[in-house]
Each structure stands twice: as C-alpha cells, then as structure tokens.
Amino acid sequence: MNIALLGFGVVCSGVYEILKTLPEYNVTKILIRNPAKKTMDCMTLDFADIENDKAIDLVVEAIGGLHPAREYILASLNAKKHVVTANKAVVAAYFEEFVAAAKENGVKFMVEATSGGGIPWIKNLQRVGRIDDVTSLHGIMNGTSNFILSAMTSEGKDFDDVLKAAQELGYAEADPSADIDGDDVRNKCAISASIAFGCPVDVNSILQSGIRYITKADIDWFKENGLVCKLFATAKREGDKFDAVVEPVLLCCDTVEANVPKNYNITCLYGETIGEVKLYGQGAGGLPTGNAIVQDIIDINTGNAFDISFDKTLIKTEAVTGRYYLRIPAGIDCYKDILRDVIEKEEASENSTVVITKEVTPAKIHQLTDKEKSVFIARFV
Amino acid sequence: MNIALLGFGVVCSGVYEILKTLPEYNVTKILIRNPAKKTMDCMTLDFADIENDKAIDLVVEAIGGLHPAREYILASLNAKKHVVTANKAVVAAYFEEFVAAAKENGVKFMVEATSGGGIPWIKNLQRVGRIDDVTSLHGIMNGTSNFILSAMTSEGKDFDDVLKAAQELGYAEADPSADIDGDDVRNKCAISASIAFGCPVDVNSILQSGIRYITKADIDWFKENGLVCKLFATAKREGDKFDAVVEPVLLCCDTVEANVPKNYNITCLYGETIGEVKLYGQGAGGLPTGNAIVQDIIDINTGNAFDISFDKTLIKTEAVTGRYYLRIPAGIDCYKDILRDVIEKEEASENSTVVITKEVTPAKIHQLTDKEKSVFIARFV
C-alpha cells in the first residue's frame, strides 16, 4: 500500500517510524511546507504531486487547522484515496462532509487518531455500537490539562507555576489556550459523540468551560472534601435527543477517573449489555498517535475498517445536569441575581466566595460565566 | 448465520438475549443437560444433533469444565463449524490443540469471553500486536476476589464476613476456591499471555497465590502504608523468554488499578509505540460476557475475526521479581531458614510476624508457601 503523509511534524514522524517496521506499507510522498526541511527525495512542497499521483492509495493528514486541511482531505477523497487524519479541529468542523465524500468515492475516512491519542477509543466505540446503543460517554481527553490538574493536586502549587513547568517539559504549548480552555476537548467530544450516536454533533452546540481560572484555593477545597478535579468531555443520548458538554468535574478521590495521572487520558462509555467500559492510555505524542493512525491504515488495508454512518437525526437537549461548585472572585456580584434560585450554599473568604448550587443545567451556569470569565466552575459527578 | 449454544446458563442466556436483537443471527439449536429444563423446541439433550446439523455455522460453548467441553469443541471444529467459547479452563488447557484444529478445518476459534468478561481485551491485545510486540501485561481479572478485597478495604471487615456477603449477593460461588485461590485468574493469565506473546503458555507453569489467607490485620497494615492489595495476573516477555505469575500485589493507593471497585476488572498492556493501555469493565455476568461472545460472532460473520497464531517458541524464565510482604502466623518458623538471605524487615505482633523481603522471585516465596499454605503473600509493584 502506497501512502502519502501531509505534514511531517510529531505525529507524521511517528507514523513514518512505525511504517518503516511494516514491509507492506510504503510512504511514497510527504508534503512539507518549509523547503529548508526537505531532507528526503519523497518530500514535496506541492499537494498536487500527491493528489495527482495515481499510485498513492491513502493520505495521512496531520497538518492541523481548518484550511487547507479541509481542502486537502476533500481533494484526496475525491481522487479516490483513503484518508486517515489526526486533525480533530477539521473533523469536528466538517465531519459530515468528509463522511459523505468518502462514501461517494468508495473510500474510507478514518479518525482514530483525533480522539484519545493511542487509546483505541473510536474503534471500540464503533465495535460496541454493533450491539449496544452507546447512551453515554465521558472522559479525560486532554493530556495538558490533566497534567496541570494532577500536578496542582499532588504538589500543592498554583496554576501559573504548574503551567510554566508543563511548558518547559513540552506538555503544554507556548499558547496553551486550546488545551486549558477546553477547545481541544470540545473537538474530541463532538467527534466521539458523533460516532457514538450515529449523528453529526455540531461542535458549536457544546457548552465549554476550562481550567484557566482554577486556583490553589480550589484544589485545597476539593482535597478537604475528598474530591479531585478533572476536565471532562461528557455526552448523553436519550432516545432521539442528545446533550454534550465540556467542563471541569469533581470526582470522589477513590474513583478510577480521579486517579488518571500526568498527561494520560481515559475514555469511558456505557452500553446496555456491555455495561461500563473505560479505556486508558497515552492521549498524545508522536508514537501513540502514530500508532492510532497506523491501526487505521492496517484496518483499511485488511478490510477491517468500519464505515462511519450518520443515519440518525438527534435533537440537542439538556440531559447533562448537576450540582456545581463555583469560585466567584471578590467584586463580582451578579451571581447573586443570576443564580438566585439555585444557590445551595455560600462560603465567603477574603478574596472570593465559593458557591454550591442545586442541580442545574450547564446553560444556567453559563449565564454567569459568559458574563464573568474569571469564575471557575466544576460540576459534581 | 445459524448458531448452536452448548449450555443455557447465565452466559448462553445472555448470548440468546443479545442475538434476539440482531436479525442476521439465528439460534437454531441449544444443548441442555436436564430434560426438565427443555422449554423450547430448539433444545436438545444430544450433542450429535448439533454436530451433524449441516445448517449450523457456529457453535458457542459455555458449559464449563474440561470434559466434555474439549470433545465438543474439537468435534464442532472438525465438523467445519466456527467455535466461540467462554470456557477459560478448557482453553487454558488445550489452546494449542483448538487453534490447530480450527486452522486445519478453515474455521475460526474465538476466545474473547474467556478473559475479562465484557472488556474487549483479547481483540485489543491482537490489534496492538499488529504493530507492537506486547512485552508485558497485567490485570485484575477476577471479579469475586476484587469484590472481597475492595469490601475488606472500604468496610474494614475480615475475610470470612466479606466472603459470606459476596456469596449472598451472588458474587461468589458456594465453593469459592477457583476465585479466591487464583485458579480462575491463572487460566485467564495463560490465555492472555498466549495471545500476547504468540506462543502457547503452559498454564501449569504459572505460579499462583490467592487471597484466602488475607486478614483484616493485613488490610490495616496496607492502609497505614498508603497501599491497596489487588489480585493480579502478570506476564512479561523479554526476547525469546517469558514469565507469568498470579499473586496478590500491593499498589500505591493513588493508582488506577488500586481504585478498581467492586467486581470490576481491569486489563493492562504495554507496547513500545502505543505505550500503556488499560481496559476497564464488567469482568463477568451474563450480558457483558454474552456481549463478548456476540462480538466474536459478528467478527466471524463480517470477516473481521483475527486468526490466533502460535508462531513463536518462548522459554519460561524468572522475569517477574519484586519485594514481598508476608504475614507468617505464629508457630511457623521455617520461614527463618527458607528466606534467610532475603529478609529486609520483620515486625512481630501477637499472632503473627510481618516479613518484608528484598527483591526475589515468586519461586523463592513459593518455597515457603508450598510448605505453609496459610502464609499470606503480596508483591510490591
């Protein structure tokens, strides 16, 4: 099988390393952007060299971003080449379009590497779906934010110090927004829910809160109460309705999810006959993510790839609800009005007030956080 | 696809329930033993009715035990019928023979349901093996013993009280030996290691210790030291050598494995490019185990079943080593001689002595436990 790689960063280098060990698979072209990095004959600066190469059976896309990734994926599918991608942003934005183009051209479109890195999450979601309706899923799907939360919990340090350490270790980007504000998890949540529920889930419909404003005071409060904070993607389906949300949650310290360390990920599903299934592993990194891509490639080559089909139409509802913890910085008073009917408890301290709510929807909490960005929230689960 | 069920207990009833929801699959015959339980026309007391029925494509075996399970499996394979089994004892004992018979007859032999109940463990081991050598695996693979250990830890009760409660809840058999002495885990360990290492692992070569002699005093000691005790299957491969052992281990209380609750299972593997992967779920029960069987059936019917191949020859070695905790009841003194060179620490109390050893092999510890059955041991991991 002849394979082209779009990009040659961490992920495609991992793919390249792994494919070198599998004699049936040849990387015949690699698209790069920077002419100075052309270290192999098979490297090209021109996507047309790949699109027009009839000998190429499969294109791996890992250039990231929406454009030109979308155009390259569509052009590859329309040129009757299978596409395997690790690009969660472009899949979350254009999933339905890609699936339709693959179907029309009789080729496969595969997304294992978009969600959960090396964890065989998408494949197992699809396998479970052969028997059970997956009625809920959740997980820790971003290694950077889990590294930060774990380190804050174990080392008692504040957010900024831990973020800096994570950046120095290469676990966080110079601009960490996508990781700490939940954008990355939201893309993975949309992709996972789309596969699980058989319906393209609009990524923009997913309410999102991150961990940017968590403080040592929050972590101390959680510890005193036997709780651990994790950033979760959560999605539920009830009949022809679904809900999905990305936000920090508070777990009992003796749960499996609460003990996921460092930059590891965990993904969890529930199906009626199989019950709870949880999958744990490396959520990022060149070799684990490369491994996920190569698994997709092998599945395509050996006739083991599952088609993605969006045969259901589901309506967004408010199925995810819960009691919330909020830390409201001093000087912010509008919460008293916005949350008026749902405050269960308030604990005022010098610089802030901790509010615990009754059971509410994320939308209710967002009435406050949309207005006051610096409020940290977490849902009790 | 026409399917025969051998047995109609918890597991086959689960299979039957699930297959009713999948129109492509028909259960056309069911072998039962007790004529009084013949409630459906398709039930028969005579295995020959199934063996000779040319219309049957696949046989599900869940009668348990070695005989006549072995004979039924071989006869089914030789009659060119695929076989899917949940019977870990018979697979652990005759794995190589079944795999050879399936190959010879051009049919599939599938064992997902033998190990880890609803956890898609075998399939994922095989998938990982397409890219990586799995060099180690471990896991909590028995729900009964995990239920007992979890309850002793959370409720502070002694072994006998918790065992009785587990029996009342249906989590433990009237004769719990296979669960608490490690026989059940040893079968699953042999099957998992055989698949992972591509070499039939002799179940009798696996040293085994159980949890029958654990006491509240042990649990208290572990708690004081921030440790949690779990019964592990462990297997390692180094080049052309392997090792496998079943014994209680001591984990830091903030690890994922330490927090596996109730009767849940977790299975873990390590591969060079994928890194650590852990899979968590229901390790037993009619519907989860039935789900595993039906996944095998669907894989066979859709051409997604992987062949099991034993193309490697590995030699047993002593790759698993560790420091051990031992509780030696008062009156047993031979440990002083047997462990003479490896005792790191001794803590004597009224009824017993706790011994911590230096790093040793399980074989060294078995010199003592083979002689004095009532010594409880656990390896630090």
Side-chain angles (χ1 to χ4, degrees), chain B residues 43 60 74 99 111 118 156 216 222 225 247 293 325 349 362:
Chain B
M43 288 175 162
V60 173
L74 288 173
V99 167
V111 301
K216 185 176 179 311
F222 304 151
N225 290 278
E247 58 192 9
I293 287 175
Y325 165 101
S349 64

Side-chain angles (χ1 to χ4, degrees), chain A residues 139-377:
Chain A
I140 299 168
M141 301 181 82
N142 179 269
T144 305
S145 54
N146 200 59
F147 179 89
I148 292 171
L149 292 172
S150 299
M152 286 181 76
T153 302
S154 62
E155 296 166 23
K157 289 188 185 152
D158 220 326
F159 181 84
D160 292 334
D161 301 328
V162 171
L163 174 60
K164 199 183 283 176
Q167 284 166 327
E168 282 163 12
L169 284 165
Y171 287 156
E173 311 272 340
D175 175 3
S177 307
D179 291 320
I180 65 174
D181 293 334
D183 307 51
D184 175 75
V185 179
R186 191 164 78 149
N187 287 330
K188 294 167 178 172
C189 185
I191 295 167
S192 303
S194 299
I195 299 266
F197 303 155
C199 166
V201 166
D202 177 6
V203 66
N204 298 306
S205 76
I206 300 175
L207 287 180
Q208 158 190 7
S209 298
I211 61 164
R212 189 183 284 268
Y213 299 108
I214 194 170
T215 61
K216 184 174 180 314
D218 294 314
I219 299 282
D220 290 343
W221 194 98
F222 303 152
K223 274 192 191 166
E224 276 161 33
N225 289 277
L227 298 167
V228 171
C229 182
K230 296 289 186 185
L231 180 59
F232 261 23
T234 306
K236 285 192 180 187
R237 181 182 156 199
E238 292 174 355
D240 61 354
K241 299 197 173 67
F242 81 97
D243 196 9
V245 61
V246 171
E247 58 192 8
V249 297
L250 298 175
L251 299 142
C252 277
C253 61
D254 64 355
T255 54
V256 167
E257 291 90 324
N259 289 283
V260 171
K262 300 183 217 165
N263 59 337
Y264 282 91
N265 282 196
I266 195 165
T267 53
C268 314
L269 65 84
Y270 179 82
E272 198 184 331
T273 70
I274 201 169
E276 276 185 280
V277 177
K278 305 185 185 189
L279 298 103
Y280 165 104
Q282 281 288 358
L287 287 175
T289 309
N291 186 296
I293 286 175
V294 176
Q295 290 287 5
D296 276 351
I297 294 172
I298 297 174
D299 273 348
I300 292 171
N301 192 44
T302 57
N304 286 281
F306 294 151
D307 283 316
I308 297 165
S309 78
F310 294 140
D311 52 2
K312 294 203 180 65
T313 310
L314 303 181
I315 303 155
K316 182 82 159 49
T317 185
E318 293 186 329
V320 178
T321 61
R323 295 168 62 237
Y324 280 81
Y325 165 101
L326 301 95
R327 180 170 299 272
I328 322 246
I332 294 177
D333 287 323
C334 60
Y335 80 89
K336 291 181 184 166
D337 188 39
I338 293 170
L339 302 177
R340 196 175 44 228
D341 303 331
V342 300
I343 294 178
E344 188 179 287
K345 206 162 72 173
E346 281 181 83
E347 294 174 15
S349 64
E350 204 182 335
N351 301 314
S352 58
T353 303
V354 167
V355 171
I356 309 297
T357 71
K358 298 174 190 165
E359 179 137 341
V360 292
T361 62
K364 179 80 182 171
I365 300 298
H366 269 255
Q367 288 176 17
L368 175 61
T369 52
D370 286 348
K371 204 167 162 149
E372 297 289 350
K373 301 283 180 206
S374 62
V375 172
F376 175 75
I377 69 143

